[in-house]
Amino acid sequence: MTYFDQVNEAAQFLRAKMDRLAPTVGVVLGSGLGSVANAVTEAVIVPYGEIPHFPQSTVEGHSGRIVAGRLGGAPVIIMQGRVHSYEGYSPAEVTFPMRVLGMLGVQAVVLTNAAGGIDENYQLGQLITIADHINFMGWNPLVGPNEPRFGLRKGTGLRFFDMTEAYSERLRRLAQQAAADEGISLDEGVYLAVSGPSFETPAEIRAFRTMGATLVGMSTVPETIVARHMGIEVLGISCVTNKAAGLSTTPLSHEEVFETGRLVERRLAGVLERVVVWISTLLEAER
Ligand code: HPA
């Protein structure tokens, strides 16, 4: 069975469970950021383990299930938890869920993550929209034969494609308005992705800063690349869960990342609830 067929089988399995929901907006929730899924009504919950070919997360804090339903009335499909390459998953496995979202008809995704703050002005728990990224993982999920059938619209699914606006300008504006309505500011940053699992050294963080990065993390970038290949619009939101290595006197730990995530997930949930409804309305109006 080809990879394309596996994606299709997983999508068909989920479509059957979701009844007539047909969400155009997808959300991926990162480490300790899962609580917005509790606000979903008419929720259909599917653990990753039940979905054919779907990779399952092994990291604590990434619960690993799909929550499909309505958020503020808008149809949405949420991935609560994701898999990372440091768990041993191949690039194809890491991006499998994003392919499935695309095949289900999702036209825009909100990717959230926990990130280390390289910019010294960032406060712990601050939310930042991703304006651009630097792929420092050492791999690209699209290496290998191109599969044009993943192109969902005209001019997508190409071997080579543009990444100048990988993170949608208009979705960033919507996120900023949503945050303003929640009474919080939302700066923009540049997210640099490493493979992990070790955190960075202070020298690496200094190097990344000179490269123009303001955030560092171990996810999101492969998902964004695959989403853009399919023609899906991307909004990225990072939660600064810790100061990057060398910027704090305390050693980095997964517990700190997880705990800070816990502290801000309510705020993030407020922003997500608004922005998902607005994106859904925007896409509806364009139909
Ligand atoms: N580095 C890499 N990934 C991370 C960090 C970090 O400091 N914090 C959360 N995810």
Side-chain angles (χ1 to χ4, degrees), residues 114-117 194 198-200 205 216-218 239 241-245 252 257:
V194 292
S198 52
F199 287 119
E200 301 68 41
I205 294 301
V216 61
M218 303 176 190
C239 165
T241 52
N242 56 278
K243 290 179 183 296
L252 287 185
V257 169

Side-chain angles (χ1 to χ4, degrees), residues 189-227:
V190 174
Y191 180 93
L192 183 144
V194 292
S195 71
S198 52
F199 287 119
E200 301 68 41
T201 63
E204 285 168 341
I205 294 301
R206 287 193 298 274
F208 296 164
R209 182 184 295 116
T210 68
M211 291 164 69
T214 66
L215 298 155
V216 61
M218 303 176 190
S219 68
T220 305
V221 163
E223 293 159 17
T224 298
I225 292 170
V226 162

Side-chain angles (χ1 to χ4, degrees), residues 31-275:
S31 304
L33 302 174
S35 77
V36 73
N38 301 333
V40 172
T41 56
E42 301 167 46
V44 174
I45 296 172
V46 189
Y48 292 165
E50 289 181 9
I51 310 168
H53 318 294
F54 220 78
Q56 279 176 73
S57 178
T58 59
V59 200
E60 217 184 309
H62 296 71
S63 71
R65 55 188 201 159
I66 297 263
V67 181
R70 290 181 182 275
L71 195 59
V76 70
I77 179 162
I78 297 181
M79 283 180 47
Q80 204 175 16
R82 55 155 69 88
V83 301
H84 306 79
S85 62
Y86 60 72
E87 295 173 73
Y89 291 105
S90 68
E93 286 170 317
V94 168
T95 52
F96 188 89
M98 187 56 52
R99 293 299 197 187
V100 172
L101 290 186
M103 295 309 269
L104 283 171
V106 162
Q107 293 170 41
V109 285
V110 186
L111 307 178
T112 67
N113 61 52
I118 297 177
D119 187 324
E120 308 229 32
N121 296 315
Y122 290 166
Q123 305 297 313
L124 287 193
Q126 195 172 340
L127 299 176
I128 310 284
T129 51
I130 302 176
D132 207 344
H133 78 217
I134 297 171
N135 181 6
F136 212 72
M137 285 185 153
W139 53 273
N140 184 303
L142 300 179
V143 168
N146 186 45
E147 175 49 270
R149 285 177 294 176
F150 281 129
L152 304 168
R153 270 175 289 288
K154 214 164 142 252
T156 66
L158 304 175
R159 170 80 300 184
F160 303 105
F161 60 95
D162 187 68
M163 286 286 281
T164 42
E165 202 192 313
Y167 298 87
S168 163
E169 175 91 40
R170 65 178 193 164
L171 296 192
R172 260 141 64 198
R173 298 287 87 82
L174 284 188
Q176 261 143 13
Q177 284 169 38
D181 284 3
E182 290 286 311
I184 60 178
S185 69
L186 201 54
D187 286 351
E188 290 194 342
V190 174
Y191 180 93
L192 183 144
V194 292
S195 71
S198 52
F199 287 119
E200 301 68 41
T201 63
E204 285 168 341
I205 294 301
R206 287 193 298 274
F208 296 164
R209 182 184 295 116
T210 68
M211 291 164 69
T214 66
L215 298 155
V216 61
M218 303 176 190
S219 68
T220 305
V221 163
E223 293 159 17
T224 298
I225 292 170
V226 162
R228 295 310 299 145
H229 179 250
M230 288 187 285
I232 298 174
E233 243 178 306
V234 178
L235 171 64
I237 302 178
S238 286
C239 165
V240 180
T241 52
N242 56 278
K243 290 179 183 296
L247 302 180
S248 153
T249 47
T250 52
L252 287 185
S253 70
H254 179 63
E255 288 66 38
E256 180 189 7
V257 169
F258 192 70
E259 283 311 313
T260 315
R262 270 278 126 85
L263 292 177
V264 291
E265 63 179 343
R266 285 253 289 297
R267 223 181 314 157
L268 176 66
V271 175
L272 287 177
E273 277 192 61
R274 285 175 199 272
V275 88

